[in-house]
Structure formats: structure tokens, C-alpha cells
Amino acid sequence: MGEIGRSIPRVDAKDKVCGTAKYTEDLCPAYALTAKIYHAAIANGWVERIDIDDALAVPGVEAVFTCMDVPQLPFATAGHPWSTDPGHRDVADRLLLNRRVRCYGDDIAVVVATDEVAADRGLRAIRVEYREEPVAVTPEQAMEMAAQGGEPLHEAYADNILGRSQYQEGEWPADTEELTAAKGSYVCQAVQHCHLESAVSFAWQEGEKITVVSSTQIPHIVRRVVGQALGLPWSRIRVIKPYIGGGFGNKQDVLTEPLNAWLAQKLPGRTVKLCLSREEVFSATRIRHPITIDIETLADQQGNLVARSYNAVSCQGAYASHGHGIAANGMTAFRDMYRQSQALRQQALTVYCNVPAAGAMRGYGIPQETFATEANMDDLALALAMDPLELRRKNMMLPGFKDPVTGITCHSSGLEECLRKGEALIDWQAKRQAYAKQSGPLRRGVGMALFCYKTGVYPLSLETSSARMVLNQDGSAQLHLGATEIGQGGDTVFAQMAAEACGMRTEDIRVVSFQDTDVAPYDSGAYASRQTYVTGMAIQKTARLFGERLTGYAAGLCGMAPENLRVQGQHVVKQEDGQPVISLEELAQEAFYSLENSVHISAQTTNHCRSNTFAFGCSFVEIQVDMPLGQIRVLQAINLHDSGKLINPALAEAQVHGGMSMALGYGLSERMIFHPQSGKLLNGNLLDYKLATALDTPDLQAVFVETQDPTGPFGNKALGEPPALSLAPALRNALLHATGVKINSLPLEPQRLTAAFREAGLLEGGEDHV
Amino acid sequence: MYDIEEYAAAASLADALNRLAARPELKIIAGGSDALLKIRDGKWAGCALLSIHGLPELQGVAMDEKGDIEIRPLTTFGQAAEDTLICRHLPLLAQGAASAGGPQLRRMGTIGGNICNGAPSADTAPALLCLNAVLDLRSAGKSRLLPLNEFYLGPGKTALEAGELLCGVRIAKEDYQGYHGCYYKYSQRRAMDIANISCALWLKSIDNAVADIRLAMGVAAPTPIRLPQTERALQGLPLEQGQKRIANLVRQEIQPRDSWRASREFRLQIAGEIAARCFAAACDKIQGGKADVSNR
Ligand SMILES: Cc1cc2nc3c(=O)[nH]c(=O)nc-3n(C[C@H](O)[C@H](O)[C@H](O)COP(=O)(O)OP(=O)(O)OC[C@H]3O[C@@H](n4cnc5c(N)ncnc54)[C@H](O)[C@@H]3O)c2cc1C
């Protein structure tokens, strides 16, 4: 007891800091062959001919396979649980290697060699002839191209539109005279996850079984998709997930694994490694959807929202991956965060284009939606001459709210308290006034933004999770899960929750961190912000049962009724006075080796989670803008979160720091730049892609308002993605406050800023200006 | 894994020059922070490397009896940034070196490599141009002195001939004595980044007027450049007037590239602004102030 709310160090901290933790590449045997992918050098068209003779002649090259050789079994890569309803399955639009090239960098051939140098030499010796089609790098271009009769990216989608959805409530007001409007088109850019560890796997075939060791968030899903892509029964695939160096949603997609498994099948007895370079991670894995969102909001003079419209166009890229789910998720958040008295109109469109496929990335459509919505709210506050904070307080979601479509209900909300604390910490009222009228090249401003976030994916998707606990001879226990530690601290809070539920000490729970689909119980993996919630429920259920089995066995030994006993720390104790009856070590020794009653005490349960709940939070920032240089300096950045009860406050704080740093990059500097004609990614490396360094990162302040959510297994709610949501719009709103300039496109990079300042006449200071 | 066909480490400067004379196709590697990138991206794949790393003849910073300073090519960014002679007499070069990459890179990358790589963004180049640096270039049986200003031929192209090794960078006393100035690197990040545009300014004043000014920029042209027109226009002006005019003069003189990394208009805006800030900082130093303009 008392294991929840303890800031114990991460269970994997020492190994990760000292370098003893094993990641995929650490485990790959030195004798493994190296596979390297040949990527298309056009963005749209067909491979007509591919000449591999010279490549095969390179010393060290063992095999070359091309898009002409692969099985014609289209598969879907999104890390969603399989749906038994064909109508709800992910779009299967990809082959292991593609003859039909749909983006610059598409995978079209693969060289397998004894080492990397030979593989690279092989790649340079491949010659390809293409038939090129015109390139569309934006949704508008892709729809226009299809309208002009151009060949669609995927046959089944003649208009290049992958998905659309609509939602409407009420009648749009006919008379808007008395109302104040805020209207804007908010543009969110493409960004990449930039997880430290690359996308990497290695595989071999032994007998009937293909084993893939992979850096993935979703081992059980990888197993299924590899089976589907290779046309093999799923049980013939075994996926092992070691420690992973970050995923952020990119590894909630099946990436290198199917091709890697196929190579193992083609080269039986050989182990083949497929490790992408950083450049390949940029151009040939997944990205965050660029989405342009048009919002119009009408409010009465008191600032009550009357009517709202939301129109999103999402750029899917070349393959469906998580597809329209991202844009649709944004629609829901817009609908949920604020209420309106009269009308709501929503529409979202997801369009295939000739850029790398967009997939899941921390926030799943909500960073885009939050940027647009929260920028629009500040625009409205400005138009109403109202305090942006007051405007939000008037209109934001209240406890008891229920989404009309999903039924997800607001069971608990600490949002108002978050706002109050943030307001005080940043000294909101004083600074809003102090910075209202400034002159000169340096300006200061404060801004804020808020968000709501669904904890899990119920009822859209299946939420099943299993856990197993097994007693060790020394009285400790193993905890086996299908859910994965991906750097978020999962294993630590899993151990804490198991301990809390069975009565043991956290130190005595050994989480089996490596998932092996041959033995790990089923769980769809780590994604959304649901691990502590969904897997937590399974852990709680299992650990309670495990505790009962311990007391049950103890009862037999000492002739007491099991209901009069409980587990406490390292002992089974009497319920009434906590007096130890037997130590767990003695109990375990007896259970294992008893000549009368030997049992291997274990428990396994599945929990089918049928609930969901909203987490909340907000960001407050103060910035200084150097207008002639177009630079924003963040003076203070605070994130405030209601994530329900915190299982481990220190880890929660670290989670917020990580999310804020991602949001900072999203807001200020990160952007993938595609050549407008060729579709080639121009800045696909960490020099030209401006991921912030430690020196660019201000102090990040994390504050929590703890609520006790009635649906969470321990009162807990989402925290994985929420920290990445509200900082970018808060920065944009602070910039508006500082300079009066509305910048509606991300990132708020210097070149965009100086151009906007010039247009606003803010740079015309000196007479000497050209 | 790097595609290196052959690797040899020179035993001495003479050995290096002899090997280069025998096989001019050998690629020289000093710190390797540019060379390894070229190998990795395929440009130098399969190369034969000759390492000069660690050669004692090519290390160190020294002042001769005349007060001229010689910086040997294997001086790393980190050493240059902390060297007493450089910090005291050539502070703008120390700033340039300190602005490169991150701590690891600064222990690896060398001044010689920075010059010979010929990048328009090289962070030590603007300072060295302001200092009228002269290069000591040697090959087996031959040596010549070439002003740095004549060394750059285009992006990644230099006057270095096959078999030639940069053995020293010389700065005469009259090129630093009595000057004040600084280096400003404008980049999107505070570390691990290349400049969008950079500026070094070296100013000597008499009676609150410009007695001599040298202004050099990185990424303002295909190579690092001096700005002779601006320098001439500022010559003799009272400092106050120079401060007013410099931004505009810079924007009129340079022809920066329009690229996806930064637009021409943006580079012009920044170039004028940072030149003006460097000028202000130099004036401040002349008046005994300690203003730090660099954004680091
Ligand atoms: C992560 C990273 C960050 C970087 N950041 C910066 C930065 O901020 N600013 C910056 O200016 N640069 C930067 N660079 C580029 C690079 O570090 C510098 O150009 C550095 O000065 C190169 O020195 P080196 O000794 O490593 O050169 P090497 O790679 O060894 O050589 C570079 C080139 O010069 C030639 N060469 C080297 N020494 C001699 C010599 N004595 N005579 C003749 N030819 C020679 C080599 O043949 C090669 O062509 C960065 C590089 C990396 C990898």
C-alpha cells in the first residue's frame, strides 16, 4: 500500500544511464547480413526497369530483391488492433517494395550484403528507369490532379481522397449583425518524431518460424502485420521487443519488420539486419500530418460562443497508415473543448499526396487542432476586446459533458484550477497590461492555450489488455505484459500499480521489459496516452487475483481463512492487526518445493476496457521578440496538467518536460521542407531540420492539479501526449500579444516572422532601411 | 561503417608531403568532421586517406618576435576558443571558433580543416578575412604564401593544389593591433547549426571616427567574403554616422542566395542588422564597454 504517488526512480534508470540496457542493435549478432533499401528518386510514377546486375557483382553483396519480386499482398501498417469487422480495418495499400512509386524515397529495391559498405556500394550500382507522373505535394494539388484526370495515387481512391467526415448541430445564425466573428486559416506543418534510436530490426528463420527483433511500440501488432504481408499464419511469426530509444508514434506503425522478415524467409538460416539511417527515418518512415484548418467562430458581446465552424484538410502522404483517423480525432476535440449556443459545423478531409506517409505522432491530430482552435480563441478575444482567459473560462468544457458521437464523458476536471494557478504563476493580469503598449525592436508578451485530451481510444477501437504475474522462489514476482516500455516510464508505473494492487513492495515486482510475442500476454502495445489507464486496469485485476492466490496458499499452510489474511510488503499478514503470518519467501519456497502441495503460483487476466475519460491542461508562456532578427526568446514556459492521480510524480514531471520540448520545436523551429516540383525532402537530416538543442530550451516548468478520476484504475488519466499540445498555440498567442501580429502558420520561424513584421510596418524603423 | 579503402597516418610533416607528392589523389584527413561526412554521403566513398592528425609540426599557436601570430592548422576549435594569444589579440576568431557545433565537435574540428573545406558558412573564415590572414601552403619541395582572400574560388572550391598541405595561418601584428570587433553567427539554433548568415567586423578608430574598418561575411556569397564597398564608404566617417549607415551599405553590397534554407530577402534583413550590432559592439568596446552581441 502507498505505492501509488511515490516518486521512485525508474526501474530501468541505471541500465539506461550506464549503457548496460540492451537495444535492438546491441542484440544483433555480428555475423548478421546488412540490408539496405534503394529509395525512389522520383515522387510519382512507375519503375519501368531496374537493373541489378552490377549490384550483384559487387563483392560482399549476397542478394538483391526488387519491387518486381515481392508478394502481391497489400498490407496496412497502422498500429491498431485488428478488427473482425472488415469495414473497420486499416487501409491495406502497401507492398514490401513498390513498383508504383508514390513519394520520393519510396522503397523499391533492397540489397543484402555482408556489411554496410558492400551494401552501399551495391545500392550505388543499381540503375532504375522510371515513368514519371506529375507530382502533387499538397492536398489541393492532389485533388486538382485527380480532377484533371491524372492517375490517382491508389486505384481505389480515384479522387485521391482517402477519407472525409462531417458533423453538424443546429442552424447557422442568419443574422450575424450583433455577433463578433473571428475567422482564420491555420496551417500546421509536417514534422518528424526524431526519436533517438533509429527504426531498426533484425530477423531470421528457424524451421517454420520467423523471428523479428525490432524497436517497436507494438510487438503483437507487428506479428499480425508481418504474417499478413508474407501470407503466413500469424503463429509462425515471433516478434521480440527489447528496450527502445523512443518512438513517439512512429513506431506505432509497422516499419522495417515485414521487409526484414521477408528477407529472412528468402535467405533461410541467415540473420538479416535492417537499420535505417537518420535520413531514411526522415524520408521513409512516418511524419505528423500537415493539416490546414479553417475556423470561424461567432460570439455575442459577452463572449458566449454562438456558432463555430471547422474545416480541416489533412495531407496523408503516399500511404494510408493511420489515415483519416487523425483529422477525425481533431474534429472531436474541437467539438468537445468548447460549447456553443446555436450551431456547430465540421468537416474534415484526408488526401493522398506525393510526400512521405503521415502516421501517428504524439497527440494524434490534436496538436494541429489545438493550435488552430486556441489561435482562433485569441483572435476572437482580440476582436471582443476581452481577456483571452476570461473568454475561455466562459466557454470551456465542464464536468458532466458528454460527446454526442462517442459518448465520452467528462468525469473529472481540474482545468479551472490549472488556469488559476497558471494565471498566478505567470503574473497574467499585470503582464497583459504592462505589455499592451510597447515600442522599439524588442517586445514582450504573454500568451496561453488550453486543451482536452481523451485518455484512451474507446469506443472507437478495441481496448484489451492482459497481464500475468508469476511467483519467484525468493518471494518476488515477475510481471509479464504485452504493453511496452518505450522510454515513457511504463515499466516503473506498471510495477508500482501491481504492487499497490497485490500488497507487495514495488521493489519486489520484476517487470519483464522485453516482449516476446511467443510468451507475452496480448496487449496491442504502447500508444495514445492509455498505458497507465488501460494496461493499469489489467494489472490491477491480475495483481488482486495474484494477491488472493498468495493468501489462499498461506491460508492452507497455517490453517486460517483466506479472507482473514492479506499481503503486506514481504509478508502475508493477519487482516485485523497486520501481524506477519509467513514471509513471502517462505511461502514461495513451500509452494515450489512442497512434497504435499506444490503449485507454481501465478495469475493471468484480460481486461476489456470499456471506458474513457478526458485529461486537461494548459500552457502559459512569456516571450521576448527581437523583431529585426525575427527571434523569439522564451522567458518562461509553464505547463499545467490535470492527469488525474499521478502514479509517480517525478516521472510525470519528466513526461511533461519531454512533451513541452517537442511542442517548443513544433511551435518555433521544426518543419519538413519538400521541393515543390520534385517532392524531394530537402532538409531530411538533423542539421537542416531544426530540432532544438539543450541550449535552445528554456527552463520548463511542470505543474499538476491532481484529480481523482472515477474511471481510472487508480484515479489516473492520460499524460503521455497532453504535454505536447498547448505550448505551440500559447507561443503564437504571446507573439500576438507582444507585437499585434497574427501568425497563423507553424513554425514561428525567423524568416516567417521578419516577413510578417515587415508587412505590418514594424521593421521600417530606421531611415536607412532598403 | 565508412567506405574507406585505405588509411595511412603520416609520421611527420615531411612524410606527409612525400606521400602526397607520390600519390596526389590521397585525401587528407585532420579532425575528420567534414571528411567523414563526405565519405558517408558517398562523395568520397572508397577513398584512400592520409591522416595528419596529431602531427606536432602542425599544432600550436605562437607569436614571433615581431608580434606576428601563427596558428597551425591542427589547432582545434576548442583550443582556438581558449588560446591566450587568440583570446587577447584576435577575439573575433575566438568567438568564431567557439560558435562551431557543440563541445564534441569543437574538440575534433580544426582551423585548417575549416579553411580547406571551403564552405561559405565556415565559422572561422570571416574573422580570418578581417585579419588579412595569409596561408602557408606547402608541397614536397615547394612552398608559397597566399592571402586567404585569394584562397576561396567557390563553394567547396579552393586554390589548394593537389599534393599541397596547409601548414600555417599567419596574422601580422598591424592587422590586429589597435582593432576592436566581434563575430556574429546568425543561425536557427544556439548550437549544432550552420550560419544562415554571419558577420565579422574589425574596427580601428581615431577621434571617434572610423580609421580603418574590415567587414567580412559568411553565406552572403558563394564563398566567405570581405565587403570592400561598405568598408570604403565607412572609412573616415564619425562612428555615430557609421552606425546609422552600415546596415544599408551591407544590404546594398551583398548578393546572398535565395534558397530553401533562407530567402534572399531574409538574409539581407539579417545581414544588415547583425553588421549594425557588430558595429555597435565594436564602438562599445572602443569606449571600454563589455557588450556581448553574440546570440550564444
Ligand atoms: C556535427 C558537426 C557540426 C559542425 N558545425 C560547424 C560549425 O558550427 N561551424 C563550422 O564552420 N563548421 C562546422 N562543421 C564542419 C567542420 O567541423 C569544420 O569545417 C571543421 O573545421 C573541419 O575540420 P576537420 O579537422 O574536422 O577537417 P577534416 O574533415 O579533417 O578536413 C576537412 C577538409 O579539409 C582538408 N584538410 C584538412 N586539413 C588540411 C590541411 N592541413 N591541409 C590541406 N587540406 C586539409 C581535408 O582534406 C578535407 O577536405 C561541423 C561539422 C559537424 C560534423
Side-chain angles (χ1 to χ4, degrees), chain A residues 121 124 279 626 628-629 631 682 686-691 695-696 750-751 754 758 768-770, chain B residues 3 5 40 45 184 186 188-190 193 244-245 248 251 260-263 265-266 269 273 277:
Chain A
R121 290 180 175 183
R124 284 196 294 273
E279 289 86 341
D626 184 332
L629 293 183
Q631 284 172 334
L682 296 170
L686 290 174
L687 172 58
D688 290 313
Y689 180 85
K690 305 300 181 187
L691 192 73
L695 289 188
D696 304 298
Q751 183 167 314
T754 50
R758 165 154 309 138
D768 260 349
H769 191 80
V770 265
Chain B
D3 191 348
E5 196 57 59
R40 184 176 178 275
Y184 195 113
Y186 185 92
Q188 314 271 322
R189 285 187 290 230
R190 286 163 182 251
D193 211 350
K244 283 202 184 124
R245 294 200 51 200
N248 199 18
R251 288 180 184 129
W260 58 265
R261 285 200 175 89
S263 71
E265 191 196 25
F266 175 68
Q269 162 65 24
E273 185 67 25
R277 291 190 190 191

Side-chain angles (χ1 to χ4, degrees), chain B residues 199 201 215 217 246-247 250 270-280:
Chain B
C199 172
L201 183 141
L215 185 61
M217 295 200 130
I246 185 168
V250 166
I270 301 304
E273 185 67 25
I274 62 175
R277 291 190 190 191
C278 283
F279 193 92

Side-chain angles (χ1 to χ4, degrees), chain A residues 207-416:
Chain A
E208 291 273 271
K209 183 160 285 179
I210 299 174
T211 302
V212 187
V213 181
S214 176
S215 175
T216 180
Q217 301 174 216
I218 47 166
H220 277 288
I221 292 176
V222 168
R223 177 201 207 193
R224 184 251 302 166
V225 176
V226 170
Q228 291 170 331
L230 271 55
L232 293 177
W234 303 353
S235 65
R236 280 187 52 191
I237 312 299
R238 174 182 173 213
V239 175
I240 296 173
K241 186 232 78 141
Y243 279 125
I244 107 166
F248 305 114
N250 201 22
K251 296 172 187 174
Q252 191 204 340
D253 238 70
V254 177
L255 299 172
T256 55
E257 301 91 347
L259 179 61
N260 200 163
W262 183 66
L263 295 173
Q265 192 186 29
K266 286 289 203 186
L267 302 164
R270 310 299 298 268
T271 299
V272 182
K273 177 169 89 165
L274 183 50
C275 177
L276 302 190
S277 67
R278 177 62 61 182
E279 289 86 341
E280 288 176 293
V281 170
F282 270 107
S283 61
T285 60
R286 307 290 177 270
I287 65 176
R288 179 181 280 161
H289 287 76
I291 307 183
T292 296
I293 301 170
D294 293 333
I295 296 180
E296 181 176 3
T297 308
L298 298 173
D300 67 19
Q301 293 321 304
Q302 289 72 49
N304 299 302
L305 305 189
V306 175
R308 302 199 297 150
S309 83
Y310 181 93
N311 192 347
V313 179
S314 174
C315 170
Q316 180 50 52
Y319 296 96
S321 178
H322 287 252
H324 186 60
I326 275 89
N329 205 33
M331 268 176 63
T332 316
F334 180 82
R335 184 167 67 223
D336 293 345
M337 191 61 250
Y338 297 105
R339 57 186 180 278
Q340 62 287 318
S341 58
Q342 214 168 316
L344 175 64
R345 272 192 201 162
Q346 292 191 277
Q347 188 178 313
L349 208 61
T350 299
V351 186
Y352 278 125
C353 313
N354 300 117
V355 295
M361 180 172 169
R362 203 176 195 172
Y364 214 74
I366 310 304
Q368 298 93 320
E369 180 275 334
T370 304
F371 176 72
T373 305
E374 291 300 294
N376 181 260
M377 285 302 274
D378 260 49
D379 292 352
L380 180 64
L382 188 67
L384 286 162
M386 193 172 174
D387 182 342
L389 204 45
E390 193 193 335
L391 177 66
R392 287 174 172 85
R393 283 193 170 115
K394 262 194 162 126
N395 297 286
M396 69 195 192
M397 190 201 297
L398 299 173
F401 166 82
K402 186 171 178 178
D403 181 87
V405 180
T406 61
I408 300 174
T409 301
C410 178
H411 299 290
S412 58
S413 172
L415 183 55
E416 174 52 46

Side-chain angles (χ1 to χ4, degrees), chain A residues 130-213:
Chain A
Y130 303 98
R131 172 159 62 77
E132 291 190 56
E133 298 284 334
V135 175
V137 297
T138 65
E140 293 68 30
Q141 288 168 357
M143 289 188 284
E144 175 63 21
M145 202 164 81
Q148 301 290 325
E151 186 179 321
L153 272 77
H154 296 272
E155 248 177 79
Y157 300 86
D159 50 7
N160 282 331
I161 295 175
L162 170 63
R164 52 169 101 227
S165 34
Q166 254 182 337
Y167 181 79
Q168 220 155 309
E169 268 176 28
E171 280 291 310
W172 196 261
D175 181 9
T176 56
E177 200 113 304
E178 301 287 294
L179 302 176
T180 301
K183 215 171 155 172
S185 185
Y186 307 93
V187 184
C188 297
Q189 80 282 32
V191 293
Q192 221 279 326
H193 315 66
C194 296
H195 35 74
L196 208 54
E197 185 196 23
S198 180
V200 52
S201 57
F202 64 94
W204 69 93
Q205 175 164 356
E206 218 172 6
E208 291 273 271
K209 183 160 285 179
I210 299 174
T211 302
V212 187
V213 181

